[in-house]
Amino acid sequence: MPLSALLSAAPSPGGGGSLDEAAERAGNAAGWVEENWSTWLNTGLRIIFIAAIAIVLRYLIRRALTNLIDRMNRSAQAVEGTALGGLLVNAERRRQRSEAIGSVLRSVSSFVILGTAALMILGAFQINLAPLLASAGVAGVALGFGARNLVTDFLSGVFMILEDQYGVGDTIDAGVASGEVIEVGLRVTKLRGDNGEIWYVRNGEVKRIGNLSQGWSTAGVDVTVRPGEDLELIRKAIAGAGETMTKEEPWSERLWGPVEILGLDQVLLDSMTVRVTAKTMPGKSLGVERELRWRIKQALDAAGIRMIGVAPLQAEGESVADPTAAMAAPSAYASTTSPQSLAATPIPPPTNLNK
């Protein structure tokens, strides 16, 4: 009700007005209320209806997203104890990824629903929304310029999680830092370095990612022997060591393929190198390389094949040559304080005392 109508309907405090004038003003006020009460009721009901629908819709969508995330986590826990689950599923990685995706979806749905409801309520009050939307657009542009790094980090984190580029437990090379992923966030990723340090890497700064824990890894061993050794005997020794290794635990699970002998990788005058590779479980290539190198060395020793770098065996009764026998005696001129060195030192010319 306008303030002027209320003042005109109120009785005069001075008592100068007549009773008829007061009754007329009261009648006008009652008539104005009777004419506009339906508009008030309609506006109030529209606001209540819009708010109720927005609240219910927001609750239902958030509840559906929460149930979907819980179902994803339960499916990950169901296969966690199996052999396939141990190889392909990381429960903590799956949980953090689903929680991050759910948080983004819940925030977006709440912003859209509540923002639309607020605009509809303002429209019910007959408020012109054009200036408000224009001001919001300008404010959004200013905020985007001021917090562009934050927006870049957030969007990069969203796409990294949606595309499953890496997760908790993976070993990655992010360019600016490398290590094991211990936490994945929408803005920052935490890495545990080789020396135990923790790296906080902004998602917007990551231009490339090398994931060392996805798919499979390759273990490579170079066997360097003398050029006069029998190649077929070397092949049989290495093949036997690799076949024995693939049948023993835990190497039978870590090896995802047979040990392959690629052939001669390098041939020199005093050595030749045989290249051996094997496909392994992600992140297990280093341990497989060490064990394979150990077994190959034992197999070559059993076959009588010496590798480069091993000292030759000494025959019994053979005397060891003195390594200092061919060395010359130290010279007296090596010391600057010896009489021979002082005698050989040139005499400096006399200085001119008149100058």
Side-chain angles (χ1 to χ4, degrees):
M1 180 184 297
L3 184 59
S4 58
L6 294 176
L7 293 177
S8 61
S12 177
S18 61
L19 185 59
D20 295 337
E21 293 178 355
E24 184 179 359
R25 293 175 181 176
N28 293 336
W32 185 85
V33 172
E34 185 177 0
E35 292 177 359
N36 294 277
W37 75 271
S38 60
T39 304
W40 296 347
L41 181 61
N42 186 20
T43 303
L45 291 177
R46 286 183 60 187
I47 294 173
I48 295 174
F49 184 71
I50 292 172
I53 290 181
I55 293 174
V56 172
L57 185 61
R58 178 176 177 269
Y59 172 77
L60 293 177
I61 292 179
R62 291 175 66 91
R63 182 67 179 272
L65 293 174
T66 302
N67 293 336
L68 178 62
I69 293 171
D70 293 341
R71 190 179 301 113
M72 292 173 59
N73 292 333
R74 285 196 299 269
S75 63
Q77 294 174 0
V79 297
E80 184 180 1
T82 62
L84 181 62
L87 295 177
L88 302 180
V89 178
N90 188 320
E92 180 64 19
R93 169 181 177 173
R94 189 75 174 267
R95 185 191 65 81
Q96 286 203 7
R97 180 169 177 259
S98 60
E99 290 292 341
I101 295 175
S103 176
V104 173
L105 294 179
R106 282 192 293 264
S107 300
V108 171
S109 61
S110 298
F111 177 78
V112 172
I113 293 173
L114 296 181
T116 304
L119 293 178
M120 294 178 66
I121 290 174
L122 293 177
F125 282 110
Q126 303 298 326
I127 296 177
N128 188 10
L129 299 179
L132 181 62
L133 294 178
S135 302
V138 173
V141 171
L143 182 61
F145 276 109
R148 58 184 180 275
N149 291 333
L150 182 61
V151 175
T152 302
D153 296 340
F154 180 81
L155 294 178
S156 299
V158 170
F159 283 107
M160 286 178 182
I161 293 174
L162 291 178
E163 296 173 0
D164 195 19
Q165 298 179 7
Y166 55 83
V168 175
D170 289 351
T171 301
I172 67 172
D173 181 3
V176 294
S178 60
E180 181 182 355
V181 180
I182 59 176
E183 184 177 343
V184 180
L186 294 177
R187 193 182 69 87
V188 175
T189 298
K190 292 183 181 180
L191 302 178
R192 175 77 67 178
D194 296 335
N195 298 324
E197 70 276 10
I198 297 180
W199 296 97
Y200 294 85
V201 181
R202 287 172 42 202
N203 295 329
E205 293 182 348
V206 179
K207 304 302 180 183
R208 63 167 179 82
I209 296 176
N211 196 325
L212 307 179
S213 302
Q214 285 185 352
W216 46 268
S217 300
T218 301
V221 176
D222 291 332
V223 181
T224 305
V225 296
R226 300 182 184 275
E229 301 290 348
D230 188 359
L231 291 177
E232 289 300 325
L233 188 60
I234 294 174
R235 182 190 297 272
K236 291 180 181 180
I238 295 176
E243 185 177 358
T244 303
M245 183 176 175
T246 55
K247 296 179 181 179
E248 297 180 1
E249 295 290 341
W251 311 111
S252 59
E253 294 182 359
R254 299 180 183 180
L255 285 170
W256 285 9
V259 177
E260 299 181 0
I261 303 174
L262 301 183
L264 285 175
D265 189 65
Q266 192 177 24
V267 179
L268 302 176
L269 293 177
D270 57 347
S271 66
M272 60 181 180
T273 303
V274 180
R275 182 68 175 175
V276 182
T277 62
K279 186 180 294 185
T280 68
M281 183 187 302
K284 303 298 182 181
S285 60
L286 185 59
V288 172
E289 288 178 359
R290 293 170 177 171
E291 182 66 20
L292 186 59
R293 193 176 291 112
W294 181 287
R295 292 173 180 264
I296 290 176
K297 176 63 171 61
Q298 289 180 336
L300 293 179
D301 290 343
I305 301 173
R306 291 202 302 266
M307 299 177 62
I308 294 296
V310 179
L313 297 177
Q314 198 127 29
E316 295 183 1
E318 184 179 353
S319 61
V320 180
D322 186 6
T324 63
M327 296 177 59
S331 175
Y333 294 97
S335 177
T336 58
T337 59
S338 64
Q340 294 84 353
S341 179
L342 294 176
T345 303
I347 300 174
T351 58
N352 192 355
L353 300 178
N354 297 327
K355 292 183 179 181

